mmCIF file of all heavy atoms in Angstrom:
data_model
loop_
_atom_site.group_PDB
_atom_site.id
_atom_site.type_symbol
_atom_site.label_atom_id
_atom_site.label_comp_id
_atom_site.label_asym_id
_atom_site.label_seq_id
_atom_site.Cartn_x
_atom_site.Cartn_y
_atom_site.Cartn_z
ATOM 1 N N GLU A 19 108.517 89.026 94.114
ATOM 2 C CA GLU A 19 107.447 88.021 94.116
ATOM 3 C C GLU A 19 106.278 88.452 93.237
ATOM 4 O O GLU A 19 105.638 87.637 92.591
ATOM 5 C CB GLU A 19 106.951 87.797 95.551
ATOM 6 C CG GLU A 19 107.963 87.098 96.457
ATOM 7 C CD GLU A 19 107.548 87.146 97.923
ATOM 8 O OE1 GLU A 19 106.439 87.678 98.209
ATOM 9 O OE2 GLU A 19 108.320 86.668 98.776
ATOM 10 N N LEU A 31 118.919 102.659 94.762
ATOM 11 C CA LEU A 31 119.265 104.070 94.603
ATOM 12 C C LEU A 31 118.206 104.943 95.283
ATOM 13 O O LEU A 31 118.542 105.941 95.932
ATOM 14 C CB LEU A 31 119.366 104.440 93.121
ATOM 15 C CG LEU A 31 119.653 105.919 92.817
ATOM 16 C CD1 LEU A 31 120.913 106.394 93.524
ATOM 17 C CD2 LEU A 31 119.761 106.143 91.305
ATOM 18 N N ASP A 37 117.704 107.840 102.417
ATOM 19 C CA ASP A 37 118.557 107.948 103.604
ATOM 20 C C ASP A 37 119.287 109.285 103.636
ATOM 21 O O ASP A 37 119.335 109.965 104.664
ATOM 22 C CB ASP A 37 119.573 106.802 103.612
ATOM 23 C CG ASP A 37 119.192 105.700 104.585
ATOM 24 O OD1 ASP A 37 118.274 105.900 105.389
ATOM 25 O OD2 ASP A 37 119.810 104.622 104.527
ATOM 26 N N GLY A 42 120.167 114.581 106.098
ATOM 27 C CA GLY A 42 120.757 115.886 105.813
ATOM 28 C C GLY A 42 121.939 115.849 104.889
ATOM 29 O O GLY A 42 122.764 116.770 104.891
ATOM 30 N N LEU A 67 102.702 99.541 102.171
ATOM 31 C CA LEU A 67 102.288 99.599 100.772
ATOM 32 C C LEU A 67 102.724 98.339 100.023
ATOM 33 O O LEU A 67 101.959 97.776 99.243
ATOM 34 C CB LEU A 67 102.862 100.835 100.079
ATOM 35 C CG LEU A 67 102.515 100.889 98.589
ATOM 36 C CD1 LEU A 67 101.024 101.132 98.385
ATOM 37 C CD2 LEU A 67 103.344 101.936 97.856
ATOM 38 N N GLU A 87 107.049 98.529 86.561
ATOM 39 C CA GLU A 87 107.323 99.956 86.692
ATOM 40 C C GLU A 87 106.291 100.644 87.577
ATOM 41 O O GLU A 87 106.631 101.533 88.356
ATOM 42 C CB GLU A 87 107.364 100.623 85.307
ATOM 43 C CG GLU A 87 108.685 100.457 84.593
ATOM 44 C CD GLU A 87 108.903 101.500 83.508
ATOM 45 O OE1 GLU A 87 107.974 102.305 83.243
ATOM 46 O OE2 GLU A 87 109.993 101.512 82.924
ATOM 47 N N LEU A 97 108.074 106.086 99.716
ATOM 48 C CA LEU A 97 109.298 106.497 100.405
ATOM 49 C C LEU A 97 109.354 108.015 100.600
ATOM 50 O O LEU A 97 109.769 108.508 101.657
ATOM 51 C CB LEU A 97 110.532 106.043 99.629
ATOM 52 C CG LEU A 97 111.011 104.607 99.809
ATOM 53 C CD1 LEU A 97 112.112 104.298 98.812
ATOM 54 C CD2 LEU A 97 111.502 104.369 101.240
ATOM 55 N N GLU A 109 115.689 128.037 102.799
ATOM 56 C CA GLU A 109 114.469 128.386 103.524
ATOM 57 C C GLU A 109 114.778 128.725 104.991
ATOM 58 O O GLU A 109 114.261 128.092 105.917
ATOM 59 C CB GLU A 109 113.453 127.244 103.449
ATOM 60 C CG GLU A 109 112.971 126.958 102.027
ATOM 61 C CD GLU A 109 112.035 125.773 101.948
ATOM 62 O OE1 GLU A 109 112.343 124.732 102.569
ATOM 63 O OE2 GLU A 109 111.011 125.887 101.247
ATOM 64 N N PRO A 110 115.623 129.720 105.234
ATOM 65 C CA PRO A 110 116.026 130.032 106.617
ATOM 66 C C PRO A 110 114.897 130.559 107.495
ATOM 67 O O PRO A 110 114.991 130.492 108.725
ATOM 68 C CB PRO A 110 117.126 131.090 106.430
ATOM 69 C CG PRO A 110 116.801 131.731 105.113
ATOM 70 C CD PRO A 110 116.263 130.624 104.260
ATOM 71 N N GLN A 117 106.222 123.151 110.151
ATOM 72 C CA GLN A 117 105.543 124.370 109.707
ATOM 73 C C GLN A 117 105.010 124.239 108.282
ATOM 74 O O GLN A 117 104.206 125.052 107.848
ATOM 75 C CB GLN A 117 106.508 125.558 109.816
ATOM 76 C CG GLN A 117 106.879 125.901 111.256
ATOM 77 C CD GLN A 117 107.933 126.986 111.348
ATOM 78 O OE1 GLN A 117 109.118 126.736 111.200
ATOM 79 N NE2 GLN A 117 107.494 128.217 111.588
ATOM 80 N N THR A 143 106.781 110.703 86.331
ATOM 81 C CA THR A 143 106.716 111.874 87.204
ATOM 82 C C THR A 143 105.313 112.462 87.268
ATOM 83 O O THR A 143 104.815 112.815 88.343
ATOM 84 C CB THR A 143 107.716 112.949 86.740
ATOM 85 O OG1 THR A 143 109.040 112.393 86.750
ATOM 86 C CG2 THR A 143 107.666 114.167 87.647
ATOM 87 N N GLY A 144 104.650 112.566 86.124
ATOM 88 C CA GLY A 144 103.304 113.123 86.099
ATOM 89 C C GLY A 144 102.327 112.337 86.952
ATOM 90 O O GLY A 144 101.459 112.918 87.618
ATOM 91 N N ILE A 149 99.461 111.047 92.434
ATOM 92 C CA ILE A 149 98.995 110.031 93.382
ATOM 93 C C ILE A 149 99.507 110.284 94.795
ATOM 94 O O ILE A 149 98.906 109.813 95.764
ATOM 95 C CB ILE A 149 99.357 108.594 92.935
ATOM 96 C CG1 ILE A 149 100.872 108.392 92.855
ATOM 97 C CG2 ILE A 149 98.683 108.257 91.626
ATOM 98 C CD1 ILE A 149 101.270 106.944 92.559
ATOM 99 N N ASP A 161 89.164 115.131 92.912
ATOM 100 C CA ASP A 161 89.691 116.149 92.001
ATOM 101 C C ASP A 161 91.097 115.826 91.494
ATOM 102 O O ASP A 161 91.674 116.604 90.737
ATOM 103 C CB ASP A 161 89.714 117.519 92.702
ATOM 104 C CG ASP A 161 88.314 118.018 93.034
ATOM 105 O OD1 ASP A 161 87.368 117.659 92.315
ATOM 106 O OD2 ASP A 161 88.175 118.755 94.035
ATOM 107 N N MET A 182 97.203 103.008 107.605
ATOM 108 C CA MET A 182 97.424 101.724 108.283
ATOM 109 C C MET A 182 98.743 101.716 109.045
ATOM 110 O O MET A 182 98.815 101.221 110.175
ATOM 111 C CB MET A 182 97.393 100.578 107.265
ATOM 112 C CG MET A 182 96.015 100.233 106.740
ATOM 113 S SD MET A 182 96.077 98.890 105.524
ATOM 114 C CE MET A 182 96.750 97.559 106.519
ATOM 115 N N ARG A 195 99.432 112.096 120.812
ATOM 116 C CA ARG A 195 99.455 113.045 121.919
ATOM 117 C C ARG A 195 100.815 113.719 122.076
ATOM 118 O O ARG A 195 100.913 114.943 122.247
ATOM 119 C CB ARG A 195 99.084 112.325 123.216
ATOM 120 C CG ARG A 195 99.070 113.211 124.471
ATOM 121 C CD ARG A 195 99.012 112.359 125.726
ATOM 122 N NE ARG A 195 100.219 111.547 125.860
ATOM 123 C CZ ARG A 195 100.315 110.474 126.651
ATOM 124 N NH1 ARG A 195 99.272 110.074 127.354
ATOM 125 N NH2 ARG A 195 101.459 109.791 126.722
#
Side-chain angles (χ1 to χ4, degrees):
E19 291 169 3
L31 177 55
D37 257 349
L67 177 69
E87 278 201 355
L97 278 172
E109 296 176 315
Q117 293 174 279
T143 301
I149 62 174
D161 295 331
M182 287 179 61
R195 180 193 64 198

